[in-house]
Amino acid sequence: MPAILALDQGTTGTTALVVDQDGSVLGRGYREITQHYPEPGLVEHDAEEILESAVSAMREAVAAAGVQPQALGITNQRETVVVWDRSTLHAVGPAIVWQDRRTSERCRQLREQGCEPLIRERTGLVLDPYFSATKLEWILENTPGYLPHTGPLAFGTVESWLVARLTGGCHVTDHTNASRTLLYNLATRDWDAELLELFGIPMEVMPRIVPSSGIVEETDPDLLGFSIPIAGLAGDQQAALFGQGCVAPGLAKNTYGTGAFLLSYLGETPPPEPIPGILTTAACGPRGEPALALEGSLFIAGAAIQWLRDGLGIIAAAGETERLARSVADTAGVTFVPAFTGLGTPHWEPEARGTITGLTRGTTRAHLVRAALESMAFGTMDLVNAMEPAAPIELLRVDGGASANDWLLQSQADLLGRPVERPDQIETTALGAAALAGIATGVWSSLDEFLASRRFVRFDPGLDEAERGVRKSEWDRAVRAALAWARG
């Protein structure tokens, strides 16, 4: 029976799965990657370590599966920028991670120059250091010896970097990743010359844009011991949307990872006008073809739990959080807004900072843990409420590490007032990459066939409208406190 190798290169680690035709996982590999924080607000990865983690994880998964996969699908942390030398394929410096805020001032300058309306119209995005263009601009300006239009450099987000190194130089990206750069025109589905000029980026450094589902190039046989076609590429959130089967309006998914990212499928028709604070982004249609989705982003979700563990030391492992949250009746008035790297949707304030309100002498670690979990549910509620006028969401499907927490998902359904579903396999990001590659190579005839064996656990809302309003007002007050840091 044919199988697909799926590679999910994320912010904190790299996962590889070998997925059988019946949807079961035959083998798994994982490698953690190092987070580098050279200064406050700066976040970097070692690009070579990203590659090494990918190869090691794939080798481990293939060895565990005991079969040779038919194709490779790749999904990745989006917006993270790598620049490399075309001739040597060596990165010219560290990868600048999507969380990095070093270009906040540059974004402010561009807003003051009146550039944001053009960017919003062409790309569906807002001017924020989260996206790739100002990071790339910074690297090109700070790379010794680089001369615009003559330097032998290549730019890519992480999937582009991996494809280049896995194939010996193929320089491509797909529509979903391209749409996260501030340089991709949603209407023409190509790089926008005017935006490239605005950021001082020569076309020569840009990758060729290819379909998310389709054969790109063969891998170097020395890396895995065999050569297979790379046949699926998608940013992690769009891969998860596809892997969850959200390819019809009214369906949305939320991934609780380092951050939390909610995408609501639109189809081919964009909203008539931009929705305040909400992004329009490229997505994958039922066969992996280009489509559109609305997106909202929380920069910090599961990372708040990591902070409780690594920064405060009040938990030993994330698995403790559900028990601790259930051990208290409520948060005793504590509200936690984990804006460690600014606030994303719908505020887009990079200078906001993390805030905990309502602390008393009676506050315990259980209250803090419960408030940290609730912050994910409250933040997601804000995303859904912001999208509602243009794209009502009937059902939210969830994935990511924190979605294993039943208490969190029940709280999410209660705050949203609509059902939440969790699939039996929560690694839907990697599974979405597998589906894109498998459909391209005939392992599955359609997304429906790929999803045929999937089962979902449903959480129905149980909170009345009045109580939901009270809880929302408490959250809104804490968010105003976090914003006050930036706005004085």
Side-chain angles (χ1 to χ4, degrees):
M1 186 177 290
I4 295 293
L5 177 59
L7 182 67
D8 177 6
Q9 202 301 296
T11 308
T12 58
T14 304
T15 300
L17 303 179
V18 177
V19 182
D20 204 354
Q21 192 173 30
D22 65 5
S24 61
V25 175
L26 301 178
R28 177 182 278 102
Y30 178 76
R31 294 293 184 275
E32 192 168 301
I33 62 172
T34 308
Q35 311 298 303
H36 299 277
Y37 305 99
E39 295 179 25
L42 274 60
V43 189
E44 298 176 349
H45 288 160
D46 182 331
E48 294 295 333
E49 185 186 7
I50 289 175
L51 173 67
E52 291 164 6
S53 73
V55 174
S56 296
M58 288 191 291
R59 287 174 175 169
E60 182 180 2
V62 171
V67 299
Q68 180 174 316
Q70 186 164 317
L72 170 62
I74 299 175
T75 182
N76 57 286
Q77 54 168 312
R78 305 173 305 167
E79 297 95 18
T80 296
V81 171
V82 184
V83 175
W84 62 93
D85 186 296
R86 286 183 183 274
S87 57
T88 66
L89 299 183
H90 289 159
V92 300
I96 300 181
V97 179
W98 57 272
Q99 298 164 313
D100 190 280
R101 315 308 285 172
R102 76 186 64 194
T103 60
S104 294
E105 177 61 22
R106 173 59 171 152
C107 290
R108 185 190 65 78
Q109 292 172 356
L110 289 166
R111 279 193 295 272
E112 291 179 350
Q113 292 169 15
C115 299
E116 188 157 46
L118 173 67
I119 289 171
R120 190 86 163 104
E121 176 192 353
R122 300 280 176 88
T123 70
L125 308 178
V126 297
L127 254 174
D128 191 89
Y130 172 41
F131 303 107
S132 304
T134 55
K135 296 182 178 70
L136 173 57
E137 181 185 47
W138 186 93
I139 291 174
L140 296 182
E141 289 176 352
N142 289 275
T143 299
Y146 171 71
L147 298 175
H149 303 283
T150 61
L153 299 183
F155 150 74
T157 42
V158 169
E159 89 300 339
S160 186
W161 162 247
L162 290 173
V163 170
R165 292 299 298 268
L166 293 174
T167 63
C170 179
H171 189 204
V172 299
T173 189
D174 83 297
H175 292 273
T176 67
N177 279 293
S179 75
R180 310 301 297 180
T181 61
L182 291 180
L183 302 170
Y184 174 89
N185 189 311
L186 284 175
T188 64
R189 294 177 178 164
D190 203 351
W191 302 122
D192 188 289
E194 191 172 355
L195 294 178
L196 288 168
E197 183 177 1
L198 174 65
F199 291 101
I201 297 170
M203 183 67 80
E204 288 80 359
V205 307
M206 302 301 291
R208 176 170 55 94
I209 301 172
V210 299
S212 298
S213 182
I215 295 174
V216 175
E217 183 64 89
E218 296 274 331
T219 62
D220 182 340
D222 292 337
L223 294 172
L224 298 177
F226 53 85
S227 180
I228 54 172
I230 298 172
L233 296 174
D236 51 10
Q237 306 313 317
Q238 288 96 334
L241 188 73
F242 192 72
Q244 289 273 34
C246 295
V247 291
L251 298 180
K253 74 88 205 174
N254 194 36
T255 298
Y256 304 91
T258 303
F261 303 88
L262 191 148
L263 272 70
S264 178
Y265 186 82
L266 287 177
E268 294 190 5
T269 305
E273 57 186 36
I275 305 167
I278 295 294
L279 310 177
T280 305
T281 194
C284 298
R287 294 198 59 81
E289 72 277 15
L292 296 172
L294 295 181
E295 177 168 341
S297 307
L298 307 179
F299 295 153
I300 300 293
I305 304 301
Q306 292 175 328
W307 177 70
L308 295 182
R309 182 193 67 193
D310 303 334
L312 297 187
I314 65 173
I315 59 171
E320 296 178 46
T321 58
E322 182 166 356
R323 175 184 59 80
L324 286 166
R326 292 185 186 277
S327 72
V328 290
D330 52 37
T331 65
V334 174
T335 305
F336 179 18
V337 182
F340 300 148
T341 56
L343 282 171
T345 308
H347 309 284
W348 293 106
E349 178 49 77
E351 302 305 322
R353 287 297 176 263
T355 303
I356 302 175
T357 63
L359 293 173
T360 70
R361 284 291 299 271
T363 301
T364 68
R365 71 182 185 122
H367 295 126
L368 287 174
V369 167
R370 184 167 174 139
L373 290 174
E374 284 189 349
S375 73
M376 300 186 214
F378 277 122
T380 299
M381 174 192 69
D382 282 347
L383 305 185
V384 171
N385 289 343
M387 290 180 185
E388 285 287 76
I393 294 172
E394 300 166 7
L395 172 68
L396 180 67
R397 286 183 169 162
V398 297
D399 53 67
S403 68
N405 188 315
D406 286 358
W407 184 89
L408 169 62
L409 298 192
Q410 185 58 58
S411 297
Q412 188 69 84
D414 289 344
L415 288 172
L416 290 179
R418 69 205 72 198
V420 171
E421 288 187 348
R422 178 182 64 209
D424 50 4
Q425 297 185 57
I426 62 174
E427 293 176 300
T428 53
T429 303
L431 292 173
L436 289 166
I439 290 170
T441 53
V443 173
W444 298 286
S445 62
S446 66
L447 182 58
D448 286 341
E449 182 183 351
F450 173 77
L451 294 169
S453 62
R454 192 71 54 84
R455 299 293 179 266
F456 294 87
V457 177
R458 187 179 178 98
F459 298 82
D460 288 308
L463 199 65
D464 64 51
E465 194 65 37
E467 179 62 19
R468 192 177 298 121
V470 170
R471 304 296 311 287
K472 183 179 186 304
S473 66
E474 294 170 350
W475 170 253
D476 290 343
R477 181 173 59 186
V479 169
R480 288 195 296 272
L483 290 168
W485 177 274
R487 299 173 182 174

